[in-house]
Structures are given as structure tokens and as C-alpha cells.
Amino acid sequence: MASNATELADRQKAAGQEADMTQVAANEQAGKKQKDKKPPKEKKPQGQGKKKDAGGQDMDTKGITTKKDDDLAAWYQEVLLKGDFLEYSDIPGCYILNPPSYAIWESIQAFLNARFRKMGVRNCYFPLFISEANLQREKDHLEGFEAEVAWVTHGGKDKLPSRLAVRPTSETAMYPHYAKKIRSHRDLPLRLNQWNNVVRWEFKHAMPFLRSREFLWQEGHTAHLTEESASKEVYEILDHYASVYEDLLAVPVVKGTKTDNEKFAGAYYTTTVEGFIPSTGRGIQAATSHCLGQHFSKMFGITVEDPSAKEGEKKPPIHVWQNSWGFTTRTIGVMILVHSDDKGLVLPPRAAELQVVIVPVGLTAKTSAEVREKLNKETDAIRAVLEAVDVRAHVDHRDYSPGWKFNDWELKGVPLRLEFGPKDSQNDVVTCSRRDQHGKTTIPIFSIEQDVPALLETIQSDLYTKAKAAYDSHRKVITKWDDFVPSLNGKNVNIIPHCLGDKCEDEVKELSKRTSVGDDTTEDARAPSMGAKSLCIPFEQPENLPETCLRPNCGEKARKWVMFGRSY
């Protein structure tokens, strides 16, 4: 056990060092002097020995020692490390995804690929590097990423004749190819998708999965003859993204359109699914699907002949309509923040790498070798029965006590634990413990192939119902400005009548920076005192839109209900 504690301490020390290095980088970016900066104090490792609780009593640090509602960032780090989801690398903002978290990403890939193929989307791959000339061809687009672009300047010891950008997104990498590939309206629609990594060299405080310098995603890029065709696809993709969250990860989202202030750089319009983190009351952009219009096709010369032209008739060529849409590993962080608790990870069964763990119990030093062998065979047989009905199951034969195993699997968030011992064998039952609830029940051994899959679906449904109830109860319709900031401070997102003016949005953000008004809640210890920005214009609009915008002194006509909130 000492080696396990030492290993965890090393991992948490690396996490602490990353936080220090990220802050130094942020200061350098802001132009602050670092000459006289004292080296950061070494953080005390967690995960070994004992520490004191609020009452001065010793605590076991092998479990989660920080409560989610007390310090979300510290809790989140513990959950990721002790749940074996992630490791910190020696490069701040870049992380190692361990098999349990990467398996969830693979389940997302399989979920989306099946739906993409039915739409006629084909997977491909484009280079990681983008020439500086191509990246700079679209200035509005570049401005959205310029501060985050990582540049390659040397190959070995030789300086490159021109810089190469490490892919922040692939519009400018792919569209010269589209101009060559699309020769006729008969080549449309062209639908390509790639699963890859991108780099955005952010100097903000990094948060694994949610904000990192390198992340995994899929990016779809398509070309269409008409706006109607492009628009149909934008909303179809958005439905698939919402389905990943709601049907696979049991996370509720709100679908809507971004305001002009918040839309993708260079887009005609952006649609979005917006999540919510109840612990902090902050919204989070979950995924986006953009209609790019004809902006990029005009920039890159992607045209086709007009199919309505009659024989011998000359009509100007048509610039194609384009879309882009993307879904990232941020999803995994949202899932963790929504479902997990003070005991560790809580994973939805449909996405979890392991759905069921079987733990042999009731064995003592006096148990005979024959009884042990019989019990081991029976637990292996239970696993085989479950695997035959496509349940991802594992038997824990490790030489640890049952209590230690229970705690370990709770940390890792496996949805269902089955306990099976000599008494269970005699009574022809297995004992069940759900990760999302307290207590235990039993089910007959002869019906596990029906009962266990059904129970997993119940867990999936219950997780979604709980999360949806939390989101619904923290989404407030506000019609008086005096209620706006207190509602935010009560961990809510606010739906308000708004004029959709860019400057008005900025004013709302400035006026709603955190104050003491109605602020009796504990927020993420590292969260800034931010104002509320527009999250989306929800597709589902409340009734009875007031005449004027909610912001004081605006006076403009309210055009839509807009959801505002503090956000990640």
C-alpha cells in the first residue's frame, strides 16, 4: 500500500507543479516581471498518511479528501487522479488520458460515427501543420485564434523559411483541398470529418478536459449547393451532439443559437448545446455546429457551375455553402462535474469502460482451498453470463480485502458492484450495490442476464433525471434587473429579454460581476469574479416576451429571450 500512496503523491505533486507553471506562463504573457519572483512552495502531497478534518480528527487520504461543494478545483483534481482517469505530463496544459477515460472517448466516437455514416459523412485525415500563408488568408477567422496559435519555427537546427502553425482548427487547412476536389454541383454535398488533436496555446488557468492546450475532437467540414441543404445539416448535427450528452452520458443540455458576440469567428451563424455545472452554477459550452455561409468559399474560390443554367446560357458560378461542427474531450469533464460526488467518479453505464465489477466476499483465513476455488469459478461464470448479454463485466480477484476493493471501485465510478460469497452461493443470489445510490439489494442468480442489464438502464435513466432536475431548477426567467445578479449568485443561469446588441451584452457582463448581493454560496475556489455572458438564444423560448431589453438604460426593443450565465 505504501507504494500506491507514494505514486499518488507524485502524481498530485505534478499537478501542483503544473498549476504553478501555468501561472508563471500567464504572468509572462501579460508582461509582468518575474525577476524577483520567489520559487513556489512545494505543495504537500495528498494521498498518503493522514490529515486532519475540520474537527481535528485523522482522515484517511486514500479516498477523496476535498468536498465538491467546498473547492471544486481541488476536488476535481483528486477525482481524476484517484479515479485513474488522467495523469499530468511535464508540459502544463497537456494531459495523459488513462484507459478508463479514453474508453469513454471511444464510446463517443462509436456513437457519433454510426450517425455520421447514415448522413453520408466520411472520415479522413489532414496534416497537423498549416502554412502561415493559408492561416492568414482569412483575417476574421485568424483573429479568433491568433493568441492561441502554436508556431513551429525550426526543423532540427535549421530555421524554416516560413512558420508553420500547429493546427488550432482546420478550416484553412482543408478548404484549399475543397477548391480542387469540388469540380461540379454533382460533387455536392461533400461531407468530410476527421478525428484528431488540436493545439490552442492558452495561458488561462488550465483545467483537465475543460481547458487544455492540446485536446482531442472531431471536426466535420461540409460543402453544399444551397443554404437550405447546409442549414438542414447544421441542426441535424446539433441533435446528434445533444444525443451524445443526454442518451450516452446522461447529461442534460439546452439547444440554441449563439449571439453575434459569441458565434464562431467567420461563421454565418453558430448553434450550440449548453451544459450546466450545478456545484458552481456556471454554464459550459458543450458542443457547436456552425453554418459558415459562403464566407470561406469566396475566400478559397470554392465554386460550381449554376445547375439552373440552360444549354448555352452563361451564368456566374455559385459559391458553395459550408458548415463546420466539432465535439471535444471537454465532454468528459462535463460528465464528471455533473455526476461525480464526494466518494469519487460516478459514470453512466452506457459510456463506462466497465459497467459491472464482481467482488468475491466472505472468504477468511479459515476458508478451505476447495471453497475458494469453487467461489472463484462461480464468479467467473457470473461474468461470462453477463458478457454474453453484452454487459462489460470484470471479476476482482486481487489480493485485497473486500472493503478496500469496494472503496477502490467507488473511486473509479463503476456503475454496479456485485458481491458474491459462500452465503450468496447457498441462497442462489447476488448482492448488488449501485454507485449512484446508498444501500444494497439482492437479485436471483438465475435471472442476472435479464435483471442486471435492466438495472444498468435504470441507473442511466436515474442519473439523467437527477441531472435534468438540477438544470431545470437553476434556469430562471428574469424580468427585473434587480433580480439578475442575486439569481446568478444563487448558482443559476438567467433567461432574460434582450435586444441582441453586442455592446449591450458587454454591459450586462460588466454590470453582473460578482458582488455580495445575494451571494451566500461557496463557489469554485479558483473561479474568477466574472460577469455573466450570453450562453445562447434557446430554441425553446418562454412565452410573453417583454417589450424592452432588461439591461438598465438600454431601452431597445427586446428581440429574444437570451440565456446568460457565468461560464467556463
Side-chain angles (χ1 to χ4, degrees):
M1 294 299 296
S3 62
N4 288 342
T6 302
E7 178 186 354
L8 181 58
D10 290 341
R11 292 158 63 197
Q12 292 195 294
K13 182 178 178 181
Q17 289 172 340
E18 166 167 313
D20 295 329
M21 293 173 71
T22 302
Q23 185 59 51
V24 170
N27 292 340
E28 290 174 346
Q29 179 74 358
K32 295 181 180 178
K33 295 182 179 179
Q34 297 292 323
K35 294 180 181 179
D36 300 325
K37 184 176 177 67
K38 295 180 179 179
K41 293 181 179 180
E42 182 175 353
K43 294 181 184 289
K44 184 177 180 181
Q46 298 180 16
Q48 61 177 349
K50 301 284 185 179
K51 78 173 191 178
K52 303 292 185 181
D53 63 15
Q57 300 298 312
D58 285 341
M59 295 173 58
D60 185 350
T61 57
K62 291 188 292 295
I64 305 300
T65 61
T66 305
K67 292 190 178 297
K68 187 177 184 180
D69 288 339
D70 290 346
D71 187 340
L72 188 75
W75 167 88
Y76 186 64
Q77 177 185 303
E78 276 200 82
V79 165
L80 292 176
L81 292 176
K82 294 180 179 180
D84 197 32
F85 248 44
L86 175 139
E87 303 286 348
Y88 287 78
S89 75
D90 61 345
I91 304 172
C94 297
Y95 306 101
I96 300 162
L97 305 191
N98 286 335
S101 60
Y102 195 79
I104 291 176
W105 184 238
E106 288 180 315
S107 73
I108 292 169
Q109 286 180 306
F111 188 97
L112 286 175
N113 273 332
R115 287 154 180 77
F116 291 167
R117 290 189 189 103
K118 288 182 180 179
M119 295 174 62
V121 177
R122 302 168 69 191
N123 285 335
C124 64
Y125 186 80
F126 279 73
L128 174 65
F129 304 112
I130 304 172
S131 70
E132 185 170 11
N134 263 348
L135 192 65
Q136 292 184 339
R137 284 177 69 175
E138 211 298 288
K139 292 183 179 180
D140 290 340
H141 178 65
L142 177 60
E143 283 179 4
F145 296 99
E146 192 167 15
E148 303 171 354
V149 176
W151 295 97
V152 177
T153 59
H154 286 73
K157 295 182 179 180
D158 299 326
K159 187 175 182 178
L160 300 179
S162 60
R163 298 187 300 175
L164 296 176
V166 182
R167 174 175 53 217
T169 183
S170 294
E171 281 78 7
T172 56
M174 297 176 73
Y175 296 163
H177 169 76
Y178 279 45
K180 297 176 183 177
K181 189 75 173 176
I182 298 170
R183 298 294 186 183
S184 163
H185 71 274
R186 298 175 183 86
D187 297 325
L188 300 175
L190 176 63
R191 292 183 166 114
L192 298 181
N193 174 67
Q194 55 176 341
W195 296 89
N196 59 28
N197 62 334
V198 293
V199 172
R200 296 181 186 173
W201 208 255
E202 297 191 72
F203 283 90
K204 302 173 186 176
H205 171 66
M207 193 169 184
F209 294 115
L210 300 185
R211 187 187 300 117
S212 57
R213 286 176 168 168
E214 179 190 17
F215 56 88
L216 304 179
W217 75 344
Q218 63 72 212
E219 51 175 326
H221 295 270
T222 63
H224 304 259
L225 182 63
T226 65
E227 179 181 359
E228 182 182 11
S229 173
S231 181
K232 180 176 180 292
E233 181 191 84
V234 165
Y235 293 105
E236 187 174 1
I237 289 294
L238 196 72
D239 286 342
H240 292 328
Y241 287 167
S243 186
V244 173
Y245 277 100
E246 298 187 339
D247 298 331
L248 184 64
L249 304 179
V251 172
V253 292
V254 169
K255 292 188 285 188
T257 305
K258 288 289 188 183
T259 62
D260 285 346
N261 252 11
E262 296 294 329
K263 72 180 180 181
F264 181 65
Y268 182 40
Y269 62 86
T270 290
T271 64
T272 181
V273 287
E274 296 290 323
F276 177 73
I277 309 303
S279 298
T280 56
R282 294 166 71 182
I284 186 163
Q285 180 177 290
T288 48
S289 178
H290 318 283
C291 179
L292 303 178
Q294 296 171 303
H295 186 75
F296 284 93
S297 64
K298 290 177 180 177
M299 185 66 60
F300 288 92
I302 311 172
T303 62
V304 296
E305 78 287 357
D306 189 337
S308 67
K310 297 177 181 178
E311 188 174 351
E313 183 182 8
K314 287 269 188 177
K315 282 191 173 184
I318 294 174
H319 287 91
V320 302
W321 286 77
Q322 292 180 265
N323 296 334
S324 70
W325 23 272
F327 197 95
T328 81
T329 40
R330 164 176 279 209
T331 319
I332 298 173
V334 174
M335 176 198 71
I336 293 167
L337 289 167
V338 168
H339 295 312
S340 299
D341 59 23
D342 290 341
K343 291 184 177 181
L345 293 167
V346 176
L347 303 180
R350 292 179 188 170
E353 180 186 32
L354 284 178
Q355 296 172 308
V356 175
V357 62
I358 305 159
V359 180
V361 297
L363 300 177
T364 68
K366 297 180 180 180
T367 303
S368 68
E370 290 79 13
V371 172
R372 287 178 183 275
E373 183 179 358
K374 178 176 181 292
L375 192 68
N376 286 338
K377 287 182 178 179
E378 287 177 321
T379 53
D380 287 339
I382 291 171
R383 184 199 69 227
V385 169
L386 294 176
E387 289 178 341
V389 291
D390 295 326
V391 172
R392 298 184 291 279
H394 170 72
V395 181
D396 189 348
H397 287 305
R398 292 178 296 172
D399 188 20
Y400 293 114
S401 69
W404 190 95
K405 294 178 184 179
F406 295 167
N407 180 68
D408 188 48
W409 292 112
E410 279 188 342
L411 282 170
K412 294 176 179 176
V414 173
L416 184 63
R417 185 178 75 237
L418 301 183
E419 302 166 20
F420 190 77
K423 290 184 179 179
D424 297 297
S425 180
Q426 291 174 9
N427 295 326
D428 293 326
V429 297
V430 293
T431 301
C432 305
S433 177
R434 290 173 52 166
R435 177 60 185 86
D436 64 316
Q437 292 183 358
H438 298 292
K440 297 180 181 181
T441 59
T442 60
I443 60 176
I445 192 71
F446 302 112
S447 64
I448 59 171
E449 57 189 329
Q450 294 86 31
D451 292 349
V452 168
L455 184 53
L456 291 171
E457 283 301 297
T458 298
I459 295 170
Q460 181 84 23
S461 176
D462 288 351
L463 285 174
Y464 178 76
T465 299
K466 179 182 177 182
K468 187 175 188 303
Y471 199 175
D472 289 349
S473 66
H474 285 276
R475 214 160 54 244
K476 304 294 185 181
V477 174
I478 302 294
T479 56
K480 295 180 181 178
W481 178 258
D482 288 346
D483 297 333
F484 187 87
V485 176
S487 178
L488 286 177
N489 293 342
K491 295 187 177 182
N492 299 306
V493 293
N494 296 336
I495 301 174
I496 67 170
H498 195 257
C499 64
L500 303 186
D502 295 351
K503 291 183 179 180
C504 185
E505 274 190 54
D506 295 336
E507 285 295 320
V508 170
K509 188 173 184 177
E510 185 64 28
L511 288 171
S512 60
K513 287 183 177 178
R514 180 167 288 276
T515 70
S516 61
V517 180
D519 190 1
D520 57 355
T521 60
T522 301
E523 199 191 8
D524 178 353
R526 295 182 181 176
S529 301
M530 61 178 67
K533 72 174 187 176
S534 69
L535 304 175
C536 73
I537 305 166
F539 291 162
E540 293 187 9
Q541 291 274 297
E543 296 180 350
N544 302 319
L545 179 68
E547 287 292 323
T548 58
C549 177
L550 186 72
R551 182 181 69 82
N553 303 319
C554 175
E556 294 293 325
K557 181 179 179 181
R559 294 173 59 192
K560 289 285 184 180
W561 291 98
V562 179
M563 188 164 75
F564 280 79
R566 297 188 173 111
S567 70
Y568 286 91

